[in-house]
Amino acid sequence: MKANKYRNIRPGEITEEHIGKTLRVAGWVENIRDHGGVIFVDLRDETGTVQIVSNDDSIFENLTRESAISLEGIVRMRDEENFNPKISTGKIEILIDKFDMLSKANNELPFEILTSTNVNDEVRLKYRYLDMRNKKVHDNIKFRSEILKFLRNKMDTLNFTEVQTPILTASSPEGARDFIVPSRKFHGKFYALPQAPQIFKELLMVGGFDKYYQIAPCFRDEDCRADRTLEFYQLDFEMAFAEEEDVYEVGEEIFYDLFTKFSDKEVSPRPFRRIPYKEALLKYGTDKPDLRNPLEIIDLTEEFKETTFKPFQKSVIRGIKVDDLADKPNSWFNEVVDYANKIGMPGIGYISVLEDMTFKGPIDKFLSDEERKNLITKADLKAGSVLFFIANKKEKVAANFAGQIRTELGRKLELIDPNKFEFCIVNDMPMFEYNEEEGKYDFGHNPFSMPQGGKEAYEKEIEDILAYQFDFVCNGYEMSSGAVRNHDIELLMKGFNLVGYTEETVKDKFKSLYTAFQYGAPPHAGMAPGIDRIIMLLKDEPNLREVQAFPPNVSGEDKMMGSPSEIPEQQLREVHIKIR
């Protein structure tokens, strides 16, 4: 690094080879210690920390922690009893000669930098620039840079072309709420921030690009949660003249190479396991299963078809068998019941299998001999097994509850290996799903996906139509969504017609695609791995906010910048907006 007036070396780069040399360094004051006239200062930047010493206590007069300073001094060896093995510069120190205060920090800090990750999130995010001085937080952002660099290099080796698509675009019904931007020039009209570059990347395929990608910002006006924020980034890519397996191959290479490079954990080998959507809902109770958990859900609806047990009558019944569990105390099972109540279940039934293969448990008295016999066969019960029952009138609700119970049992029994990344691909997703609130069918996932079977697909009942739509899943998180796109305008229109869109509406809402597809659209397919979730998993963080530089809080507010904020009346008038 070229020398400047602030520094010619960074604190963490100083080694024993510099002993006897005069160096100039700069950074932030992490700590100040007065040992009876001898002042010790820990100077920090992102490379590390070095100890500064002064025998003149006046030289550091009025110095405060977290001030930015520059100094010059000679490097010397510490006394052996003062070595600090916790830092790379622990055997050396700098005896100060010259000192410059670059920017003095207030005496009162909002929180201690070294322990900022233990502070309330609201305070951390309000003073995010201080929070990022914490090494753990700082390293997460640096790590993000490494991931982005790797991904760009990987896409380059795979011969993809990077293309940036617009941020200001048109609003379109793609499944989530748009962020809208009023136009000053066009009275009463609005731009929208893209939920994803979906339409643009398809237009790039029509435009003759063979392989496109970008690190794409996506915006969705939805409630924040641990794995979702208002603004996030995807590795968005698309390929022309491609089929589903082509996307699988690229996606598997990206995820496998990325996770094996940046983690010491075991990564599931390629090809990743393929699981049809219906199988995932049945066996795991979710379309994003955590395969580290060996427990599986079984359907017991048929076994209870003639039951006299009222809670099970005319219901969908799911079961989860756990071997060698019958000797657990009642208190353990009571905790499972409490968890079931917490997630909204009226209760959870279970039976334990004794040594003589008879049953014990709250619902055993309601079972017939025939039902007991069928359960032993269907669930492969053994002495010591426990079978949990989940029942609901609605199949989706039963599946969802069973999935949550499966996860809780895996957690309580410590079955989930924290040292593994288990990938799978959930495919064969339904093209349409019934929306009970609106009383009609809507697209199950992406309106631009190709139905399996092409034109013949629409000869089936609507709930039986599957799409070439898939998700890459890891450890219970959706890591990427992808599809083979519907490039046939006639087929595209049939899908929109089924959910109530007229051709005129499609022309209006998806004008560019509707027109472009009439000029020779190639078959194309792609996907979009979520960068924030990738980093969250690799860093073992509990939520996305820990891997983003300036995230909003859980309510979607940015306390640091003060957004969302009120807009002056004059500015509102310029964009023709009146607050109601």
mmCIF file of all heavy atoms in Angstrom, residues 441-458:
data_model
loop_
_atom_site.group_PDB
_atom_site.id
_atom_site.type_symbol
_atom_site.label_atom_id
_atom_site.label_comp_id
_atom_site.label_asym_id
_atom_site.label_seq_id
_atom_site.Cartn_x
_atom_site.Cartn_y
_atom_site.Cartn_z
ATOM 1 N N TYR A 441 -59.214 -20.297 -7.952
ATOM 2 C CA TYR A 441 -57.859 -20.784 -8.182
ATOM 3 C C TYR A 441 -56.955 -19.638 -8.617
ATOM 4 O O TYR A 441 -57.386 -18.690 -9.287
ATOM 5 C CB TYR A 441 -57.852 -21.871 -9.251
ATOM 6 C CG TYR A 441 -58.213 -23.239 -8.715
ATOM 7 C CD1 TYR A 441 -59.534 -23.693 -8.764
ATOM 8 C CD2 TYR A 441 -57.251 -24.061 -8.146
ATOM 9 C CE1 TYR A 441 -59.875 -24.943 -8.258
ATOM 10 C CE2 TYR A 441 -57.582 -25.304 -7.636
ATOM 11 C CZ TYR A 441 -58.889 -25.738 -7.695
ATOM 12 O OH TYR A 441 -59.215 -26.965 -7.188
ATOM 13 N N ASP A 442 -55.691 -19.746 -8.210
ATOM 14 C CA ASP A 442 -54.682 -18.776 -8.630
ATOM 15 C C ASP A 442 -53.402 -19.549 -8.941
ATOM 16 O O ASP A 442 -53.313 -20.751 -8.685
ATOM 17 C CB ASP A 442 -54.423 -17.752 -7.527
ATOM 18 C CG ASP A 442 -53.899 -16.426 -8.079
ATOM 19 O OD1 ASP A 442 -53.436 -16.419 -9.250
ATOM 20 O OD2 ASP A 442 -53.953 -15.424 -7.360
ATOM 21 N N PHE A 443 -52.417 -18.869 -9.501
ATOM 22 C CA PHE A 443 -51.143 -19.532 -9.770
ATOM 23 C C PHE A 443 -50.502 -19.971 -8.458
ATOM 24 O O PHE A 443 -50.440 -19.204 -7.495
ATOM 25 C CB PHE A 443 -50.202 -18.595 -10.524
ATOM 26 C CG PHE A 443 -50.637 -18.318 -11.931
ATOM 27 C CD1 PHE A 443 -51.168 -17.080 -12.281
ATOM 28 C CD2 PHE A 443 -50.522 -19.282 -12.909
ATOM 29 C CE1 PHE A 443 -51.573 -16.818 -13.573
ATOM 30 C CE2 PHE A 443 -50.932 -19.036 -14.212
ATOM 31 C CZ PHE A 443 -51.461 -17.801 -14.545
ATOM 32 N N GLY A 444 -50.021 -21.214 -8.425
ATOM 33 C CA GLY A 444 -49.419 -21.743 -7.219
ATOM 34 C C GLY A 444 -48.080 -21.113 -6.906
ATOM 35 O O GLY A 444 -47.677 -21.023 -5.752
ATOM 36 N N HIS A 445 -47.380 -20.678 -7.930
ATOM 37 C CA HIS A 445 -46.043 -20.145 -7.716
ATOM 38 C C HIS A 445 -45.769 -19.004 -8.682
ATOM 39 O O HIS A 445 -45.965 -17.846 -8.354
ATOM 40 C CB HIS A 445 -45.009 -21.262 -7.895
ATOM 41 C CG HIS A 445 -43.820 -21.131 -6.994
ATOM 42 N ND1 HIS A 445 -42.886 -20.146 -7.145
ATOM 43 C CD2 HIS A 445 -43.417 -21.870 -5.923
ATOM 44 C CE1 HIS A 445 -41.944 -20.282 -6.212
ATOM 45 N NE2 HIS A 445 -42.251 -21.319 -5.458
ATOM 46 N N ASN A 446 -45.385 -19.336 -9.887
ATOM 47 C CA ASN A 446 -44.986 -18.325 -10.863
ATOM 48 C C ASN A 446 -45.891 -18.421 -12.097
ATOM 49 O O ASN A 446 -45.992 -19.487 -12.701
ATOM 50 C CB ASN A 446 -43.520 -18.566 -11.254
ATOM 51 C CG ASN A 446 -42.940 -17.447 -12.093
ATOM 52 O OD1 ASN A 446 -43.597 -16.949 -13.003
ATOM 53 N ND2 ASN A 446 -41.719 -17.056 -11.797
ATOM 54 N N PRO A 447 -46.536 -17.342 -12.488
ATOM 55 C CA PRO A 447 -47.461 -17.414 -13.629
ATOM 56 C C PRO A 447 -46.778 -17.684 -14.963
ATOM 57 O O PRO A 447 -47.440 -18.011 -15.944
ATOM 58 C CB PRO A 447 -48.127 -16.030 -13.633
ATOM 59 C CG PRO A 447 -47.160 -15.136 -12.937
ATOM 60 C CD PRO A 447 -46.494 -15.983 -11.907
ATOM 61 N N PHE A 448 -45.433 -17.571 -14.992
ATOM 62 C CA PHE A 448 -44.709 -17.719 -16.247
ATOM 63 C C PHE A 448 -44.110 -19.111 -16.437
ATOM 64 O O PHE A 448 -43.331 -19.341 -17.354
ATOM 65 C CB PHE A 448 -43.596 -16.663 -16.340
ATOM 66 C CG PHE A 448 -44.088 -15.268 -16.089
ATOM 67 C CD1 PHE A 448 -43.769 -14.601 -14.922
ATOM 68 C CD2 PHE A 448 -44.890 -14.625 -17.017
ATOM 69 C CE1 PHE A 448 -44.234 -13.315 -14.687
ATOM 70 C CE2 PHE A 448 -45.365 -13.344 -16.793
ATOM 71 C CZ PHE A 448 -45.033 -12.687 -15.622
ATOM 72 N N SER A 449 -44.461 -20.058 -15.539
ATOM 73 C CA SER A 449 -43.913 -21.404 -15.639
ATOM 74 C C SER A 449 -44.632 -22.218 -16.719
ATOM 75 O O SER A 449 -45.812 -22.024 -16.987
ATOM 76 C CB SER A 449 -44.037 -22.135 -14.296
ATOM 77 O OG SER A 449 -43.311 -21.445 -13.298
ATOM 78 N N MET A 450 -43.899 -23.167 -17.288
ATOM 79 C CA MET A 450 -44.455 -24.052 -18.307
ATOM 80 C C MET A 450 -45.208 -25.195 -17.635
ATOM 81 O O MET A 450 -44.663 -25.862 -16.749
ATOM 82 C CB MET A 450 -43.336 -24.621 -19.184
ATOM 83 C CG MET A 450 -43.809 -25.602 -20.244
ATOM 84 S SD MET A 450 -44.780 -24.827 -21.557
ATOM 85 C CE MET A 450 -43.460 -24.070 -22.534
ATOM 86 N N PRO A 451 -46.480 -25.445 -18.041
ATOM 87 C CA PRO A 451 -47.198 -26.602 -17.488
ATOM 88 C C PRO A 451 -46.619 -27.895 -18.036
ATOM 89 O O PRO A 451 -46.231 -27.968 -19.203
ATOM 90 C CB PRO A 451 -48.634 -26.384 -17.966
ATOM 91 C CG PRO A 451 -48.497 -25.570 -19.213
ATOM 92 C CD PRO A 451 -47.299 -24.684 -18.996
ATOM 93 N N GLN A 452 -46.523 -28.913 -17.186
ATOM 94 C CA GLN A 452 -46.013 -30.201 -17.637
ATOM 95 C C GLN A 452 -47.026 -30.844 -18.590
ATOM 96 O O GLN A 452 -48.191 -30.988 -18.254
ATOM 97 C CB GLN A 452 -45.737 -31.110 -16.444
ATOM 98 C CG GLN A 452 -44.609 -30.631 -15.556
ATOM 99 C CD GLN A 452 -44.249 -31.626 -14.477
ATOM 100 O OE1 GLN A 452 -44.592 -32.802 -14.561
ATOM 101 N NE2 GLN A 452 -43.541 -31.162 -13.454
ATOM 102 N N GLY A 453 -46.532 -31.214 -19.778
ATOM 103 C CA GLY A 453 -47.409 -31.810 -20.776
ATOM 104 C C GLY A 453 -47.861 -30.827 -21.837
ATOM 105 O O GLY A 453 -48.584 -31.207 -22.765
ATOM 106 N N GLY A 454 -47.438 -29.560 -21.698
ATOM 107 C CA GLY A 454 -47.795 -28.579 -22.718
ATOM 108 C C GLY A 454 -49.298 -28.380 -22.828
ATOM 109 O O GLY A 454 -50.015 -28.279 -21.826
ATOM 110 N N LYS A 455 -49.798 -28.361 -24.042
ATOM 111 C CA LYS A 455 -51.224 -28.108 -24.280
ATOM 112 C C LYS A 455 -52.108 -29.189 -23.672
ATOM 113 O O LYS A 455 -53.229 -28.926 -23.238
ATOM 114 C CB LYS A 455 -51.495 -27.993 -25.778
ATOM 115 C CG LYS A 455 -50.839 -26.780 -26.421
ATOM 116 C CD LYS A 455 -51.094 -26.717 -27.915
ATOM 117 C CE LYS A 455 -50.397 -25.507 -28.527
ATOM 118 N NZ LYS A 455 -50.604 -25.424 -29.997
ATOM 119 N N GLU A 456 -51.603 -30.417 -23.619
ATOM 120 C CA GLU A 456 -52.391 -31.517 -23.051
ATOM 121 C C GLU A 456 -52.629 -31.336 -21.552
ATOM 122 O O GLU A 456 -53.553 -31.929 -20.986
ATOM 123 C CB GLU A 456 -51.690 -32.848 -23.303
ATOM 124 C CG GLU A 456 -51.614 -33.220 -24.785
ATOM 125 C CD GLU A 456 -50.887 -34.538 -25.000
ATOM 126 O OE1 GLU A 456 -50.507 -35.173 -23.988
ATOM 127 O OE2 GLU A 456 -50.692 -34.918 -26.170
ATOM 128 N N ALA A 457 -51.797 -30.512 -20.911
ATOM 129 C CA ALA A 457 -51.957 -30.301 -19.469
ATOM 130 C C ALA A 457 -53.328 -29.740 -19.143
ATOM 131 O O ALA A 457 -53.931 -30.077 -18.119
ATOM 132 C CB ALA A 457 -50.868 -29.362 -18.953
ATOM 133 N N TYR A 458 -53.845 -28.892 -20.027
ATOM 134 C CA TYR A 458 -55.109 -28.222 -19.737
ATOM 135 C C TYR A 458 -56.331 -29.080 -20.024
ATOM 136 O O TYR A 458 -57.468 -28.624 -19.890
ATOM 137 C CB TYR A 458 -55.165 -26.898 -20.496
ATOM 138 C CG TYR A 458 -54.157 -25.906 -19.954
ATOM 139 C CD1 TYR A 458 -53.100 -25.455 -20.735
ATOM 140 C CD2 TYR A 458 -54.249 -25.457 -18.648
ATOM 141 C CE1 TYR A 458 -52.163 -24.566 -20.220
ATOM 142 C CE2 TYR A 458 -53.321 -24.569 -18.124
ATOM 143 C CZ TYR A 458 -52.281 -24.129 -18.910
ATOM 144 O OH TYR A 458 -51.354 -23.260 -18.398
#
